[in-house]
Amino acid sequence: MSICMSPLDAETVAAAKATLDDEGYAVIPSILDDSSIKLVHSRLWAAATETQNRGTDLHMPALDPNASNVRVFYLMELDAIFRELIQHPAALQIAKLVVGDQLLVSNFTANIARPGSGSMQLHSDQSLVVPDPWEHAWGVNIIWCLTDVYFENGATLFIPGSHRWKRKEEVPTDAAEMLKPFVAKAGSIVAMDARVWHTSGKNITEDKERALLFGFYTAPFLRQQVNWTAVFAREAEGVLSPELRELLGVDIDANVGRASKIGAGIEKHEAQRAPTSQNCRNRRIKCDEQSPCGYCGRRGLDCKKADFIVPERWPNARPPTRAAQESQPVVTRATQPTPEATAHIPESTYEIFQNIFGVDNDQSATSDLHSTIPPPSDDILTEEKAGLLRFYQDGIGVWMDIFDCSHTYQHEVVWYSLSSPLLMHAVCALSAKQMSLIQNKFLWEPVSSRFYGQSLSLLINELTKQSSTSDGELLLAATILLSSYELLAQPGIDYQRHLYGAQTLIFSRNIGSEGTSLEKASFWIFARQDVALALVNERPTLVPPVKWPAPPDSPPAAVEDAFGMKILWLLARVIEVKFGNGQVSSIERRVESLVAEIDLLWAGLPSHVRGVPMKQSHSEDEGLTRVWFCVPSASAACLYYHMAKILTYECLCEQTPVPPRQSDNMLKPIGYHARAIASICLFSDLADGALVVAVNPIFYAAKYIPSMALKTRLWGILDRIETQLGFYTRNRQTQLQLELKK
């Protein structure tokens, strides 16, 4: 053996168990000596080089925000030293403490955080492979520290005690503020219960890397993350010891039931399998894999066979030619990017706009701004882009135009995108992101990350050159789309960062009555996002209502659209009063004035805009009224109206001490508006665009509806919005649960 394979003593094991039980992790120092650390570290970089030579990228956009994070997979197939580490007695002792004596190796990977690397999303490993509730620890990560690990060089950030959370709903909204770094010396192992919520840290040092190996052990009834039979298909007989074969679950008597001759039949299966027609894949229908296939043959279509998704990442992918290897830069420790090269890599629209428009930046700041992702070199409308444009037009584009009967974002933005690479890639990024949330994450997440990265590169190019007026409106539209992408990708307390770019452009362009139709449409989309996030975070809108362009009157806008924008503006003013800082007497006067404006607006609406009551067909609606709306914008605007009324009554209740009887009288109108919201959401067959608007109204309605049955039905709508539309609602569901405990 090339490394020391000594087991742990009983005292060390007992101490590790106590810490694991208490906080969900344990650090066991001095497992590897200095010579072993250097040996494994050098072999890791050799494995990274070999991985790249095989044509596999070391950067995983689906996991990490930039290329300063190096990921190396299939370590055990690349070097025997990693097969030794995964069987190390100390690692197995600790893993069995958590999982039990019977376990399997699910994965063994490496992550090297170089200076400038970013942080991934908060998660627990068990939540990725097992649905909740997580009653027991069915997995454990044994993390090998090949360098000292501390906060500044990107230590793993974790939440102590989070292994006790049994469901996603138990993860608090401020979980990011509870994170703490692992601190360990090189040569240590860190054991982490798979239920612990954690994320990778950012490496903010100038020249220090952080290198970790992650051995993921799981209970034998869980499907492994890696198909080891395929990884070791051709050389398994020679490199796998009986003990390792058992750990990998590749023997005939393992729980996965593999054949004794590993890899038997794989070549035959691959040779017989014909690729699917691209037309069938685009339409998501089963292909008969003939040539031509039945679907294409019946319609006289060109039956082009689709490529497999990212074939270069398959373990047995064909290695690149020698010429390709020579032309491809090889990553070694000597050729790592310098801190200067990584310091200004943008990871979001916020960083781009901060560099270009930030008040503390001088004019030279833009010259240092660059992206590692080159701008797309062509403007050809590929089948992939066409499919994403269609998905956008049928989905998010419709929702964005909820108060725009001209369908500016559904049609005009798509039309402009055919001549604007920035707009095209922003639309595709947003569409692919939503598809990753509601369809297939592993298929669409890399696609969305690719288009998003290219969009950032194009955004830099547009912002750092002189643009015409027409370019400016397209720039704003693209920024709105990219901020929407970021809100889907990273919901939470960073919402101000996501909206910063659009907010900056809105202030700089001074959009008012003279703005173009696209600029106005962009503003009102931003305004809806601003209001929604202000309500969630209980603070005034980022753009004060006094700086909003005047809401349009009808005509020329449709009466429903005009009502929607006007009530949104009034709602923003109510939010400013409720969550801003002001004197009690001033708040009362302002609320009374707002109530008068809201009531006047409501009284002047045609009856069909307020919803047409329908005759009750049965008596199981718990006192709710069935309402019918002509168009989705009317139902969405009415949801805003009823929520605004609830907020005004809340303001009065909070600011004015009132006797119990008078307080009860004030709760009656709140209950009326809460039931009105429930009626619209449950019995109006809301369109998807109106459902997105409904998230906050549902929250306020459920607070004041006493019936648990109705609350549950409203929670079900929130859950459907997240699972079927991809819009984050879990924070509102958690807040409702907290309200019940008060």
Side-chain angles (χ1 to χ4, degrees), residues 323-343:
Q325 292 184 26
E326 292 174 353
S327 64
Q328 185 178 24
V330 177
V331 175
T332 65
R333 297 188 67 186
T335 60
Q336 295 177 39
T338 63
E340 291 76 17
T342 60

Side-chain angles (χ1 to χ4, degrees), residues 161-204:
S162 57
H163 61 303
R164 298 187 182 91
W165 298 342
K166 296 183 179 181
R167 296 182 181 273
K168 289 183 180 179
E169 291 82 355
E170 297 180 37
V171 181
T173 55
D174 61 345
E177 300 176 7
M178 305 165 65
L179 290 167
K180 295 183 178 180
F182 287 129
V183 178
K185 300 292 289 184
S188 305
I189 60 173
V190 179
M192 183 172 65
D193 189 310
R195 297 170 295 175
V196 168
W197 287 77
H198 64 283
T199 182
S200 56
K202 296 182 179 180
N203 189 331
I204 58 176

Side-chain angles (χ1 to χ4, degrees), residues 282-573:
N282 290 343
R283 294 187 61 84
R284 299 185 181 87
I285 60 177
K286 183 174 177 59
C287 181
D288 60 17
E289 299 180 352
Q290 301 300 312
S291 185
C293 72
Y295 176 82
C296 295
R298 289 191 299 272
R299 290 161 178 78
L301 301 175
D302 184 11
C303 188
K304 294 181 179 179
K305 299 303 181 181
D307 292 330
F308 292 116
I309 303 300
V310 285
E312 69 274 9
R313 291 184 182 169
W314 286 23
N316 297 322
R318 181 180 299 174
T321 63
R322 185 175 186 83
Q325 292 184 26
E326 292 174 353
S327 64
Q328 185 178 24
V330 177
V331 175
T332 65
R333 297 188 67 186
T335 60
Q336 295 177 39
T338 63
E340 291 76 17
T342 60
H344 299 293
I345 297 173
E347 299 179 11
S348 65
T349 55
Y350 173 79
E351 293 189 20
I352 293 174
F353 279 88
Q354 269 286 311
N355 275 280
I356 295 177
F357 290 95
V359 295
D360 297 329
N361 294 322
D362 56 28
Q363 294 298 319
S364 63
T366 58
S367 63
D368 296 330
L369 190 65
H370 67 278
S371 172
T372 56
I373 304 174
S377 58
D378 63 80
D379 56 355
I380 299 173
L381 182 63
T382 63
E383 290 187 10
E384 179 185 51
K385 292 176 184 176
L388 290 171
L389 287 178
R390 178 62 63 192
F391 184 81
Y392 166 84
Q393 281 190 307
D394 294 340
I396 293 181
V398 178
W399 312 342
M400 286 186 159
D401 289 333
I402 187 68
F403 294 138
D404 182 4
C405 62
S406 300
H407 306 296
T408 304
Y409 263 69
Q410 186 183 6
H411 300 311
E412 192 173 333
V413 163
V414 172
W415 178 69
Y416 277 125
S417 71
L418 298 177
S419 57
S420 168
L422 171 59
L423 209 52
M424 170 68 76
H425 284 76
V427 170
C428 290
L430 181 57
S431 294
K433 169 52 66 176
Q434 194 207 7
M435 293 177 78
S436 75
L437 294 171
I438 65 176
Q439 293 187 11
N440 188 323
K441 177 178 180 179
F442 297 102
L443 175 62
W444 289 109
E445 184 66 31
V447 177
S448 68
S449 298
R450 168 164 51 87
F451 278 113
Y452 176 66
Q454 292 171 338
S455 299
L456 293 183
S457 179
L458 290 164
L459 182 62
I460 294 171
N461 294 339
E462 290 296 322
L463 288 172
T464 53
K465 72 179 184 181
Q466 294 294 326
S467 299
S468 64
T469 303
S470 60
D471 289 335
E473 63 177 357
L474 300 187
L475 187 62
L476 176 58
T479 305
I480 291 288
L481 293 168
L482 291 174
S483 66
S484 300
Y485 171 100
E486 292 168 355
L487 289 169
L488 288 181
Q490 295 179 320
I493 59 175
D494 283 342
Y495 77 99
Q496 295 184 63
R497 295 169 62 93
H498 304 325
L499 296 182
Y500 177 82
Q503 176 189 353
T504 302
L505 288 178
I506 286 169
F507 280 143
S508 67
R509 297 188 66 79
N510 193 25
I511 298 172
S513 59
E514 302 302 321
T516 67
S517 61
L518 182 54
E519 286 178 327
K520 292 177 182 178
S522 297
F523 172 80
W524 288 106
I525 292 169
F526 169 86
R528 292 205 305 274
Q529 294 175 338
D530 197 3
V531 164
L533 293 166
L535 286 167
V536 171
N537 294 277
E538 297 187 350
R539 59 192 307 167
T541 55
L542 298 177
V543 177
V546 69
K547 295 186 178 181
W548 287 26
D553 294 320
S554 53
V559 62
E560 295 89 355
D561 295 347
F563 171 43
M565 287 181 270
K566 187 66 175 287
I567 193 64
L568 182 66
W569 174 64
L570 290 169
L571 177 59
R573 292 169 59 191

Side-chain angles (χ1 to χ4, degrees), residues 602-613 627-630 634 638:
W602 182 256
L605 293 174
S607 59
H608 71 273
V609 177
R610 291 181 288 186
V612 180
V627 186
W628 180 82
F629 293 93
C630 297
C638 286

Side-chain angles (χ1 to χ4, degrees), residues 84 98 142 161-162 215 252 314 364 425 465 480 582 680 705 736:
E84 295 179 22
V98 179
I142 302 297
S162 57
I252 192 170
W314 286 23
S364 63
H425 284 76
K465 72 179 184 181
I480 291 288
I680 295 172
I705 289 178
L736 283 175

